[in-house]
Amino acid sequence: MPQVTLKGSCLCGTVQYEVTGDPQRFYHCHCSRCRKSSGTGHASNIMMTSATLVFSHGESRLRQFKPPEAKRFSRQFCTECGSPVARFVLGWNAVVIPAGSLDDSVPIKPQARIYWDSRTDWTCDGDTLPRFPEGPPNLLSMTAEGRKGE
């Protein structure tokens, strides 16, 4: 997919961002950290590679949280309303975008449900997306067949 530019913001509008890059992956993650950070049955995240992330408003209102024991999980959010917003991940040279924070239409459809074995018994179901018990070692290099995670 060619590079696209997407705009997003937090719930209160204090934080506004623009990300430009190649949309590579769109996953619904059912791990316990994503559930707790979203307050729902899963988090829906888009990964964009070769991406730039610019905050046009509210950058001073951003905070990040990463559990010390987490390999990949982190969260960036607005301190006014708590809404998660896009974040740059150095190890992947990519931007992870909480799909619900986008103000623009999403140019990619969800591709898989990851960490499916961690889901709650009340989680949404009924779609035909591939399901993976865990996540691939590198979320950006997952093949269509998937790989068992760490």
Side-chain angles (χ1 to χ4, degrees), residues 73-89:
F73 181 87
S74 68
R75 183 174 188 267
Q76 183 159 264
F77 56 95
C78 170
T79 58
E80 288 294 312
C81 65
S83 296
V85 294
R87 66 190 184 280
F88 189 80
V89 181

Side-chain angles (χ1 to χ4, degrees), residues 116-138:
W116 184 248
D117 285 359
S118 297
R119 73 190 182 283
T120 63
D121 59 356
W122 51 262
T123 196
C124 56
D125 198 359
D127 60 37
T128 59
L129 290 174
R131 288 160 171 72
F132 299 98
E134 296 181 8
N138 182 340

Side-chain angles (χ1 to χ4, degrees), residues 17 45-48 53 85-89 92 94-98:
Y17 68 86
N45 291 306
I46 298 167
M47 289 85 170
M48 290 178 72
L53 174 60
V85 294
R87 66 190 184 280
F88 189 80
V89 181
W92 291 342
V95 172
V96 175
I97 306 165

